Every structure is written in C-alpha cells, then in structure tokens.
Amino acid sequence: MQKLTLPAPAKLNLWLHITGRRADGYHELETVFQFLDHGDELSFALRDDGQIRLQTEIAGVPHDSNLIVRAARQLQAQSGTTLGADIWLDKVLPMGGGIGGGSSDAATTLLALAHLWQLDWSADRLATLGLTLGADVPVFVRGHAAFAQGVGEQLTPVDPAEPWYLVLVPQVSVSTAEIFSHPELTRDSLPLKMRPVPEGNSRNDCQPVVEQRYPEVRNALNSLGKYTEARMTGTGSCVFGAFPSKAEADRVLALLSETQTGFVAKGSNISMLHRKLQSLIKKSSS
C-alpha cells in the first residue's frame, strides 16, 4: 500500500521566560517558537483492522508509551474510526534536546492520520487533543511561528526573522521534569507588556540551572558564544546561534566539529510539515 511520508520539524525557543507556577505544578511561561527546516520523517500506511503499529523500535521507549502511538490511539478513539495504521519513523532529532522531537512526531501523526482517515477535524480540535499529549504539541499542529503563553498552548502567530541557525547537540539528555522542579529555577520573570515582543530584553530562564547541572551544555554555549550570541532552546540540551548565511554557519560548525556535534538549518515561520501537507492537498484537488 502507498505510504504517506511527512516531516516532523524541529523547533527552537528563541527565548523562554517563566512567569509563575500554577497550583497544579505546571509553570506559566512566555516564549517564541520558530521551526527549523530539519527534523524527523514519518511514514504512514492504512490498516483496515484497527491496529496501530509503530514499526520502528526506539531504544528505551516501549511501543505503547511512544507519543506517536499514543497520539494515533487517542485520535482513533475520539474520532470513532475503525481504521488503523502502520507507522515508520526515521529518527533524526535527539531525545531530551529541547527541540521538540517527540512533540513534533506526535503532531505529524495527528495531522497525517486525520488526512489518511479522512476525518473532518479542524486545527483547533487537533491542537486541543495534542495538548493532552504535551504542551508543545499544539504549536506543531498549527504550524506557524508563535508567541506562546500559559503552559505554551496560548498561541499568537508571529513572524520573526528567518536566519540560518547553527544548532549544537551536546551528548546528554536533559530531563524537563528535573529542570522545572529545581529549587533554583527562576519562576518570577515579569510578563512582557509590549507586542510585538522585543528581542533585546529576553533570555532562557532554564539556562542557568541547566548550565550548572550539565557541563556539556555549558561547554557548548561557551564554544558557540565565541562566534555569535548563543542560547539554549527549551530545557536543553541543544544550543543555537543565528547566522546571516548558510556558508557562515557551516564555517563555524566546521571550526567546532572537533569538540562539538551539531547541524545547520534554516529558520522557518511556516512549518515544513504544513508546506508539505498544503502541496499534497493542492495535488489531490487539481
């Protein structure tokens, strides 16, 4: 059977401010999400027996616990479809890197299966389901760079500059739960009053705690910081810096390659997943 193959792009938090902590333990934050033209790739094929089978084993992640499988089964249950799917994953994005690998895979799964199963679901409905899987899933479902508030689910589309980024990938997985529960984490940043959001008065409030606990991340920040402003994305571990051209980003990556692992990718305000879906819809309607 013909497969539907779609990308699951990485994201960056261009900055991340934590403005409070709710009674349920979740943190209130303000951040800007932007996508990268770089990520995982998933393929989907219909099954008529209702089974959801991820055909790619992920080390350390049981099949039924994988966000891809959980996303597919939740969509299946809430839509009432009798169809299933075989799913294959080409994993590129690191786990625990702060660039949204698992959340992006889940969002691609929701959009792909809504398309394959011919469900008449709006983006709002898919994003609401996505939020039950993870706070970052809705932005991947919606597919536009966004200023986010709340736990990250209140999204306002924005259009920041789209530079080339060099992303360093320290060989360490950072636990989001560990960072958000750390007693020294800043939790009282003042909410921003200006829109559009100023770039100059921003930072990642998680970065000091991660630097303290993970020397690999601190080293990556120091290495990249010699060439451009370096910042951590999400709760880490990945570190990024902007460059005016691919050639310049590639040059710096080559200089750092003896001690650091990384990649170069273009910033994008429209997710490559949504660009691919739109081209598929245009083809099928023409």
Side-chain angles (χ1 to χ4, degrees):
M1 182 177 290
Q2 189 174 8
K3 291 181 183 177
L4 171 63
T5 299
L6 292 170
K11 61 81 177 169
L12 295 177
N13 296 87
L14 300 187
W15 48 265
L16 174 61
H17 299 173
I18 302 172
T19 58
R21 193 175 195 175
R22 305 190 319 194
D24 61 8
Y26 282 94
H27 287 75
E28 296 277 347
L29 54 85
E30 292 183 336
T31 189
V32 167
F33 291 110
Q34 187 177 44
F35 304 104
L36 296 177
D37 281 351
H38 177 86
D40 296 343
E41 190 171 78
L42 290 95
S43 296
F44 304 83
L46 277 176
R47 292 179 68 117
D48 57 14
D49 61 1
Q51 290 286 309
I52 301 292
R53 300 303 304 169
L54 177 59
Q55 301 291 350
T56 310
E57 285 191 23
I58 306 297
V61 182
H63 178 274
D64 290 357
S65 301
N66 193 295
L67 267 180
I68 294 168
V69 175
R70 289 170 53 203
R73 287 180 175 162
Q74 285 207 35
L75 182 62
Q76 188 183 50
Q78 291 193 26
S79 68
T81 185
T82 59
L83 295 170
D86 286 312
I87 307 171
W88 294 263
L89 171 65
D90 180 8
K91 189 71 184 157
V92 172
L93 302 178
M95 297 171 68
I99 53 178
S103 297
S104 188
D105 292 344
T108 293
T109 299
L110 293 176
L111 288 160
L113 293 181
H115 182 77
L116 265 186
W117 292 342
Q118 298 183 3
L119 306 179
D120 189 21
W121 276 46
S122 67
D124 284 345
R125 194 174 179 188
L126 286 169
T128 299
L129 190 161
L131 184 59
T132 68
L133 297 161
D136 288 352
V137 178
V139 73
F140 287 109
V141 168
R142 294 187 180 281
H144 199 291
F147 171 63
Q149 297 166 285
V151 296
E153 87 289 4
Q154 299 169 29
L155 301 170
T156 303
V158 293
D159 291 290
E162 297 176 316
W164 286 90
Y165 290 106
L166 169 50
V167 181
L168 296 183
V169 185
Q171 300 304 294
V172 60
S173 179
V174 175
S175 163
T176 297
E178 174 199 354
I179 301 308
F180 274 121
S181 63
H182 198 282
E184 293 180 25
L185 181 68
T186 296
R187 297 181 171 88
D188 58 357
S189 285
L190 293 175
L192 294 171
K193 296 176 182 177
M194 293 177 62
R195 306 287 184 274
V197 179
E199 289 185 16
N201 184 27
S202 64
R203 68 205 158 271
N204 184 335
D205 283 338
C206 298
Q207 189 171 308
V209 171
V210 177
E211 283 193 74
Q212 174 191 326
R213 295 188 62 79
Y214 295 89
E216 299 92 340
V217 176
R218 185 171 63 248
N219 291 341
L221 284 160
N222 289 339
S223 295
L224 186 54
K226 294 172 183 173
Y227 301 94
T228 186
E229 182 186 0
R231 187 170 290 178
M232 192 181 76
T233 177
T235 54
S237 60
C238 289
V239 167
F240 68 94
F243 291 86
S245 68
K246 182 178 187 296
E248 185 63 13
D250 283 338
R251 184 185 73 82
V252 174
L253 177 57
L255 290 169
L256 297 177
S257 61
E258 282 191 18
T259 56
Q260 301 287 341
T261 301
F263 62 87
V264 170
K266 185 84 163 62
S268 180
N269 294 333
I270 303 296
S271 156
M272 63 180 181
L273 165 64
H274 286 70
R275 296 201 303 268
K276 179 76 180 284
L277 274 173
Q278 287 302 316
S279 70
L280 287 174
I281 291 166
K282 278 182 185 175
K283 278 183 187 175
S284 63
S285 61
S286 61

